[in-house]
């Protein structure tokens, strides 16, 4: 393990020293993770998708980058284990509204359960618009401020759990109870990060959570969503505005991007935006 890796990771989360493996620390760590480490696919958009080795992902986060679920939850699991938490990785699948009746698990998501303070929790820093804090792994309705989540048994062929958040674009996550390994996600990661029809390849996306809502940048469209409030939407019109949002709202460091990277990505985002507008018309 790279010396100082976890020190840098913890500094990114705002921790000056390693916390003890308590439930209170677990909650604080997840809150910090979803606020400070963006769900993002910049490197996939640039045609250089990073691998999902957990140490590689942890190094990227310590250096100011983000990732999607395999990177974010993979690295978070490694950090939590380093701190002394009991962590289990699980194969999971994210479903859009039209698929919500499905009971299978397609493996396109890495979910975590963590034991702390005598309780088991569903922990997820890799959904983009997922829970702000861990959810007790108990069937029922769970409230966090204005947000309402559901957890229940997965009535499929294999035992598992079903996470429901009806207000999101992907309202259901099916989760297998059996433990999984990083290798179980490699083939799906390759497809999601390179296939021309993958949403991660087609559309630039950054998301982050805070206690009150979600910020999301898809292409050039920046939205802010809070329960019970009108969603605000803004089109980013210039490269300067775009990169200020990426580095500011989403806290994604930009020092790994050359001028050619920035110019090429802006051109790609603009072309996708024009295609999106044409489809809407």
């Amino acid at each position: 393990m790279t010396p100082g890796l976890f020190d840098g990771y913890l500094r990114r989360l705002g921790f000056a020293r390693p916390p003890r493996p308590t439930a209170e620390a677990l909650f604080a760590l997840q809150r910090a993770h979803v606020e400070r480490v963006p769900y993002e696919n910049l490197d996939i958009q640039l045609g250089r998708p990073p691998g999902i080795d957990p140490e590689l992902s942890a190094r990227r986060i310590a250096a100011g980058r983000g990732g999607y679920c395999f990177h974010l939850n993979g690295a978070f699991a490694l950090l939590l284990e380093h701190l002394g938490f009991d962590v289990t990785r699980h194969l999971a699948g994210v479903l859009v509204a039209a698929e919500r009746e499905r009971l299978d698990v397609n493996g396109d998501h890495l979910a975590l359960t963590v034991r702390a303070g005598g309780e088991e929790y569903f922990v997820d820093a890799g959904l983009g618009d997922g829970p702000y804090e861990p959810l007790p792994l108990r069937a029922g309705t769970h409230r966090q401020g204005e947000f309402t989540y559901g957890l229940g048994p997965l009535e499929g062929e294999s035992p598992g759990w079903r996470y429901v958040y009806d207000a999101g674009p992907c309202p259901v996550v099916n989760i297998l109870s059996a433990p999984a390994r990083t290798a179980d996600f490699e083939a799906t990661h390759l497809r999601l990060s390179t296939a021309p029809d993958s949403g991660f390849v087609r559309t630039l996306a950054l998301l982050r959570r805070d206690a009150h809502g979600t910020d999301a940048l898809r292409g050039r469209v920046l939205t802010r969503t809070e329960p019970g409030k009108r969603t605000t939407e803004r089109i980013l019109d210039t490269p300067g505005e775009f990169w200020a949002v990426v580095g500011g709202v989403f806290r994604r460091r930009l020092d790994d991007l050359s001028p050619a990277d920035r110019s090429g990505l802006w051109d790609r985002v603009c072309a996708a935006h024009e295609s999106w507008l044409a489809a809407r018309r």
Side-chain angles (χ1 to χ4, degrees):
M1 196 65 64
T2 305
L5 168 64
F6 293 113
D7 293 338
Y9 197 154
L10 287 167
R11 282 195 299 272
R12 178 87 188 275
L13 300 184
F15 288 79
R17 60 182 60 84
R20 296 178 58 248
T22 64
E24 292 78 10
L26 178 64
F27 275 58
L29 286 161
Q30 178 163 324
R31 289 194 299 266
H33 213 292
V34 297
E35 284 192 3
R36 293 167 176 255
V37 183
Y39 182 103
E40 55 101 344
N41 65 342
L42 267 68
D43 284 308
I44 292 174
Q45 288 283 299
L46 287 165
R48 53 188 192 214
I52 60 171
D53 173 78
E55 185 178 343
L56 169 65
S57 298
R59 286 203 304 269
R60 284 173 51 81
I61 290 172
R65 327 290 188 243
Y68 66 178
C69 65
F70 298 148
H71 308 106
L72 300 176
N73 282 339
F76 196 30
L78 196 66
L79 174 66
L80 292 174
E81 288 174 331
H82 169 74
L83 295 172
F85 289 96
D86 183 4
V87 182
T88 305
R89 298 154 183 80
H90 304 270
L91 278 166
V94 178
L95 304 178
V96 299
E99 304 171 316
R100 64 176 302 146
E101 300 307 316
R102 288 174 48 181
L103 300 176
D104 62 313
V105 174
N106 62 20
D108 68 358
H109 187 67
L110 163 60
L112 307 176
T113 55
V114 180
R115 283 148 293 281
E119 179 109 49
E120 190 168 14
Y121 295 94
F122 169 63
V123 170
D124 207 309
L127 279 171
D129 65 345
Y132 185 54
E133 298 177 327
L135 300 177
L137 197 61
R138 300 193 300 266
T141 298
H142 303 270
R143 290 191 61 85
Q144 292 182 359
E146 297 299 315
F147 295 84
T148 302
Y149 306 101
L151 279 176
L154 177 63
E155 305 293 346
E157 294 183 2
S158 301
W161 289 87
R162 188 170 170 88
Y163 159 87
V164 178
Y165 173 52
D166 286 315
C170 298
V172 173
V173 181
N174 289 340
I175 307 158
L176 292 181
S177 294
R181 304 165 301 149
T182 300
D184 297 327
F185 303 95
E186 290 283 1
T188 301
H189 167 62
L190 178 63
R191 175 177 59 80
L192 292 176
S193 61
T194 62
D197 62 343
S198 166
F200 295 102
V201 175
R202 293 198 314 267
T203 305
L204 177 135
L206 295 96
L207 295 94
R208 64 169 290 277
R209 266 297 312 267
D210 58 35
H212 306 292
T214 305
D215 296 302
L217 176 62
R218 294 182 175 88
R220 286 172 48 194
V221 182
L222 176 66
T223 59
R224 172 69 182 179
T225 305
E226 297 184 21
K229 295 185 178 180
R230 181 176 177 272
T231 297
T232 62
E233 182 176 293
R234 177 161 65 99
I235 306 298
L236 307 183
D237 291 321
T238 67
E241 188 180 16
F242 176 84
W243 290 113
V245 165
V246 171
V249 174
F250 296 97
R251 304 191 183 197
R252 206 284 191 184
R253 285 187 61 174
L254 305 176
D255 55 355
D256 61 320
L257 303 179
S258 70
D261 289 335
R262 296 197 196 191
S263 175
L265 189 53
W266 172 249
D267 290 345
R268 179 185 176 95
V269 167
C270 286
H273 184 75
E274 292 304 315
S275 296
W276 174 71
L277 290 176
R280 292 184 76 182
R281 289 193 292 266

